[in-house]
Amino acid sequence: MFVWKDFVGKVLEAAEKCPKTAALIYTLSTGEEHQDEPVVPDMVIFRNETEGDSLSDGTSAARAMGTQEAAHVDRILKVLDVNCLTEDAPAADVLGNNGVVNCGVGLWVLPSFINHSCHPNARRTHIGDHAIVHASRDIKAGEEITFPYFDVLVPVSKRREASRAWGFECKCDRCRFEAEDSILRQEILKSEKDLASGGDIGAVVVRLEEKMRKSVVRERQKAFLRASFWSAYSALYDSDKLMRKWGRRVPSEALVAETVADVVSGNESVLKAMLRGSRDGNGCGNRLEVEDKVVRIGRATYGKLVKRHAMRDLFRLTLDATNKINI
């Protein structure tokens, strides 16, 4: 990764020196195209060329690379604006708008073809100059791979603001439900307003839970809304005072964390809540069942970077430490 001000020059220099690098960059979106279906690149361009390699139209990969025009600065800058990633995933133009110019940023061509979703099935992790994308839940054959470009543990209005900064509108099942459900839409707006004005967090969470119960909302849709107001749920569970007042009227922390994890796949704050809320099961099953759930969320969050047995050890150490404190 590079600092943004140095990164642009590095990319332009590499594109001018290497036709193949320029060709790879030119395959990426500039954010100006209008395409309903995801574009699948020809995998030939990502392989070291061998004799006989050809693109889908029969063109030699070598000739295709060689016929690329010299790096076009404007086009490459547009590509970088909508495809660059940092560990927190803002686009380059968002970095500029927010004045954050000293973040590490990089361009990974193949991961750049992966679309955003607020209900993703994959997660990316950065180690040095490598971007590692791993499945965060089971993916069906033919299902599109997606990961979040920005924080998705916020209400749909904020997610749409973020997606517009990237030049698109998210139409995942979660966004459609939250934006189009006429019954819950008013409750969502009211909850956002109350939280923004410093209202009682516990009251907001309790009212949302009661509204979902009365509206006979499906479990998956409950998880969508809990994920959108995760900051409120998390603040409630963090406060002993609020839990004494509202604790009996809200689901357990482990239960909420589990449902939110199913929506956003892996997330460190959700994993932490699951660990903390799993002291006595809290409605999520016995110790072995909760252990399996913690390991699943941990694997979704970190992929193979953290071994399965290491996640189990972390869970057991957490419970053992808690039990000693309670004793």
Side-chain angles (χ1 to χ4, degrees):
M1 286 188 176
F2 295 88
V3 175
W4 172 248
K5 64 179 181 179
D6 300 326
F7 177 65
V8 176
K10 292 284 186 181
V11 173
L12 293 175
E13 181 182 353
E16 290 173 357
K17 289 182 177 180
C18 179
K20 182 172 182 178
T21 299
L24 288 172
I25 294 173
Y26 288 161
T27 63
L28 298 176
S29 169
T30 62
E32 298 174 337
E33 303 89 344
H34 298 284
Q35 297 167 331
D36 294 329
E37 295 296 327
V39 176
V40 180
D42 196 311
M43 291 296 103
V44 169
I45 64 176
F46 297 100
R47 297 200 299 265
N48 291 328
E49 189 179 8
T50 58
E51 186 176 355
D53 275 346
S54 62
L55 301 179
S56 56
D57 62 359
T59 304
S60 163
R63 289 201 303 273
M65 300 302 176
T67 56
Q68 288 289 344
E69 61 184 27
H72 191 284
V73 176
D74 288 342
R75 177 178 175 82
I76 290 179
L77 287 177
K78 290 177 181 178
V79 168
L80 296 182
D81 278 346
V82 296
N83 290 283
C84 285
L85 298 173
T86 72
E87 197 161 2
D88 293 326
D93 57 342
V94 179
L95 282 173
N97 290 339
N98 291 337
V100 184
V101 295
N102 292 318
C103 294
V105 62
L107 176 68
W108 292 268
V109 177
L110 191 54
S112 293
F113 282 96
I114 299 177
N115 283 327
H116 164 87
S117 175
C118 299
H119 183 202
N121 55 22
R123 181 177 171 86
R124 61 182 174 81
T125 305
H126 295 278
I127 301 180
D129 290 335
H130 298 279
I132 301 172
V133 179
H134 64 85
S136 52
R137 59 178 171 84
D138 292 339
I139 301 176
K140 299 178 182 178
E143 181 182 355
E144 182 184 1
I145 297 174
T146 59
F147 58 54
Y149 288 8
F150 44 78
D151 182 13
V152 294
L153 289 174
V154 293
V156 63
S157 60
K158 292 185 178 180
R159 300 200 307 272
R160 288 198 160 174
E161 287 180 12
S163 66
R164 282 195 290 270
W166 282 78
F168 69 90
E169 181 179 343
C170 183
K171 297 180 180 179
C172 69
D173 53 348
R174 178 183 167 195
C175 284
R176 290 198 305 271
F177 163 69
E178 292 183 39
E180 298 172 5
D181 189 290
S182 58
I183 297 177
L184 290 171
R185 184 63 186 149
Q186 293 302 316
E187 182 61 38
I188 292 173
L189 293 173
K190 179 174 175 55
S191 297
E192 286 188 68
K193 183 178 179 181
D194 289 350
L195 291 174
S197 62
D200 189 320
I201 293 174
V204 171
V205 171
V206 168
R207 191 179 66 236
L208 182 62
E209 287 289 333
E210 290 179 348
K211 185 67 174 181
M212 290 191 291
R213 178 177 55 80
K214 292 178 180 178
S215 302
V216 196
V217 176
R218 296 178 180 178
E219 289 303 315
R220 173 53 58 86
Q221 295 169 337
K222 286 183 181 179
F224 287 165
L225 293 176
R226 288 168 178 166
S228 293
F229 290 94
W230 173 247
S231 62
Y233 280 90
S234 182
L236 171 62
Y237 294 127
D238 279 340
S239 171
D240 291 337
K241 180 179 179 180
L242 289 175
M243 285 301 291
R244 284 194 296 270
K245 181 178 180 181
W246 301 104
R248 293 185 179 182
R249 300 177 62 183
V250 296
S252 70
E253 182 176 22
L255 178 62
V256 171
E258 182 185 5
T259 60
V260 171
D262 287 338
V263 173
V264 300
S265 299
N267 181 276
E268 288 86 352
S269 66
V270 177
L271 175 60
K272 179 181 177 182
M274 187 70 183
L275 282 167
R276 184 176 56 187
S278 61
R279 297 167 186 168
D280 57 0
N282 277 338
C284 284
N286 59 41
R287 174 164 172 157
L288 289 178
E289 291 173 331
V290 176
E291 180 177 313
D292 286 340
K293 293 173 182 178
V294 169
V295 170
R296 176 174 56 82
I297 297 174
R299 295 281 285 179
T301 302
Y302 300 111
K304 293 184 178 180
L305 299 179
V306 178
K307 301 295 184 182
R308 188 181 299 274
H309 63 78
M311 285 303 307
R312 292 189 184 278
D313 289 343
L314 173 62
F315 171 78
R316 291 164 183 166
L317 286 171
T318 301
L319 285 194
D320 290 344
T322 301
N323 291 336
K324 288 179 181 179
I325 292 174
N326 290 337
I327 292 174

